[in-house]
Amino acid sequence: MAEVLKAGVAQPELARLIPPWPPKPSAEVEGRMLEVVRSGLWGSTQGHVVEALGRRLAALHGVRAATCCTNGTIAIALALRAAGVRAGDEVIVPAYTFLATASAPLLLGAIPVFAEIDPATLMIDPDDVRRKVSAKTRAVIPVHLAGAVAEAHAIRQQLAGSRIVVIEDAAQAIDATHVDGRVGTLGDMATLSFQTSKNVAAGEGGAVLTDNAELGDIIWSLHNAGRSRGGGWYQHDRVGWNLRMTEMQGVLADAMLDTLAEMDAARAAGWKSLAGLAEAERLPVQVVDPARTTRHARHLMPWQLATARRDKTLRDAVVAALQAAGIPASAGYPPINRMPAIRAEVAALGGRPVDDLPVTEETAALSWWLPQNVLLAGEEVHAAVIAAMAKALG
């Protein structure tokens, strides 16, 4: 191992050692896909694959209902709409997240209000949520980051008795658990994503989970042009849209659920390997691994500088060194409350920009991520990761 750390691995060779994501489908999965294509039953109102996938997702997360839809962004919008969020309402979201957590409320004309994150978890701070609640607040969206689980249950408890709903954005945390319970049971609803990079990938796709049967029926109706279960094809009992998943997407997502436990174990082993190597080399870095997450989905491995020289220049040097070595590292999210397009939309809806988020700013400046296919790579790749970090850190 020490020899690998000293010598390194040439970039083209290293790239070949990092498995692709998503993984190549097996012959069995290709056969299932071909069967659906040949059947002509491509839409979820014709076939049975997506319906079965929804039941499987609900059972996996211990909830009554899961409705599959076009993508994760739409899943959030569906959950908000089902909760009664309308134009002008406020939705509290973390500023350290993917754009969709804020753009989904904007799709409904609702105003995202940005909350601070907890430096120990990099996820939404329940104390700042409490400070950001107003008479116009209608929902809070805690985001489960990198496969760890946010304090959604604590937020739900502090809002008990109010009209405010809690929607878990679990795009990166399928089948993760927290000391307070499973993802999907910690809020009123939860959303998943099956976009290409996710642990369960179908190219695109999403789902909304809920343990509330009434909300489950509303979500199903909204995603199916306002129809009701058991009603006629042209019976539209509410305004809805065609936001359904295709049967082909359903095959891909269902097949990846078959290997989820195996892949979770492999991701966990890779995480342990990388963290152990960094500790052995005494690198001035820390891995963000929230203690109250009891089953981590390990979608991403977030790192931060842990040195007196905590500056963005050094972080950028680490990312550049990793990328130069052929490692697909990323600097992660910028603060979305700073994005000009988001600020313009919020202002147009009468909202006020939120700027005083120092933890979010520091996190965005000092963090970097390793994607799951690096976790799934072998010892040689992990050694090269540590060597590149060590070189950048001097």
Side-chain angles (χ1 to χ4, degrees), residues 7-350:
V9 181
Q11 181 175 342
E13 181 183 344
L14 190 68
R16 287 193 293 270
L17 296 175
I18 300 174
W21 192 266
K24 187 180 185 299
S26 66
E28 179 188 356
V29 174
E30 290 177 352
R32 289 171 60 188
M33 181 71 79
L34 185 58
E35 183 180 346
V36 168
V37 171
R38 285 176 173 170
S39 75
L41 305 177
W42 297 353
S44 59
T45 57
Q46 300 170 299
H48 304 287
V49 175
V50 172
E51 183 181 357
L53 174 63
R55 291 195 297 269
R56 189 175 184 184
L57 290 167
L60 179 67
H61 294 91
V63 297
R64 287 186 174 89
T67 300
C68 298
C69 60
T70 53
N71 56 59
T73 307
I74 288 299
I76 299 171
L78 276 170
L80 290 168
R81 180 77 176 189
V85 173
R86 294 293 186 269
D89 289 340
E90 291 182 351
V91 178
I92 300 174
V93 304
Y96 192 64
T97 183
F98 182 59
L99 178 76
T101 314
S103 66
L106 288 169
L107 190 62
L108 304 179
I111 302 168
V113 174
F114 295 101
E116 185 60 285
I117 58 174
D118 182 335
T121 68
L122 310 188
M123 293 181 284
I124 198 165
D125 182 351
D127 291 335
D128 200 41
V129 169
R130 187 183 299 110
R131 289 188 287 268
K132 296 291 168 58
V133 168
S134 76
K136 297 174 70 176
T137 305
R138 192 69 184 85
V140 181
I141 308 179
V143 178
H144 303 318
L145 182 70
V149 185
E151 296 296 326
H153 180 69
I155 292 170
R156 193 182 191 189
Q157 285 187 313
Q158 75 185 30
L159 296 173
S162 74
R163 68 187 190 113
I164 302 169
V165 298
V166 175
I167 299 168
E168 306 168 58
D169 181 341
Q172 298 181 357
I174 187 168
D175 195 29
T177 61
H178 184 274
V179 293
D180 290 330
R182 292 184 186 180
V183 160
T185 67
L186 304 172
D188 298 283
M189 289 171 276
T191 64
L192 302 175
S193 170
F194 308 124
Q195 180 265 347
T196 300
S197 72
K198 301 302 186 290
N199 290 16
V200 173
E204 298 292 350
V208 187
L209 312 174
T210 183
D211 202 37
N212 182 307
E214 182 181 0
L215 280 174
D217 285 342
I218 293 171
I219 294 161
W220 185 91
S221 176
L222 290 171
H223 104 296
N224 195 15
R227 298 182 178 95
S228 296
R229 298 183 194 273
W233 185 253
Y234 293 114
Q235 178 185 337
H236 306 280
D237 295 319
R238 57 175 51 84
V239 175
W241 302 269
N242 177 3
L243 304 173
R244 302 183 298 263
M245 177 186 279
T246 68
E247 291 285 277
M248 288 79 80
Q249 289 170 299
V251 168
L252 293 173
D254 188 65
M256 293 203 74
L257 284 177
D258 291 340
T259 61
L260 182 60
E262 175 187 347
M263 299 301 283
D264 278 347
R267 281 184 283 261
W271 182 296
K272 183 178 180 180
S273 168
L274 283 159
L277 287 171
E279 184 176 0
E281 290 297 307
R282 298 185 178 181
L283 296 186
V285 298
Q286 61 187 14
V287 179
V288 182
D289 193 1
R292 284 167 58 81
T293 293
T294 52
R295 183 166 65 239
H296 197 307
R298 312 287 181 193
H299 175 64
L300 299 165
M301 190 172 189
W303 301 72
Q304 283 192 323
L305 297 172
T307 172
R309 187 184 162 197
R310 288 173 62 83
D311 63 61
K312 185 176 181 297
T313 302
L314 182 56
R315 188 283 308 271
D316 291 347
V318 172
V319 174
L322 287 166
Q323 292 175 347
I327 305 295
S330 164
Y333 299 131
I336 57 173
N337 63 301
R338 294 287 188 184
M339 293 182 179
I342 292 290
R343 295 171 74 88
E345 287 290 322
V346 169
L349 292 170

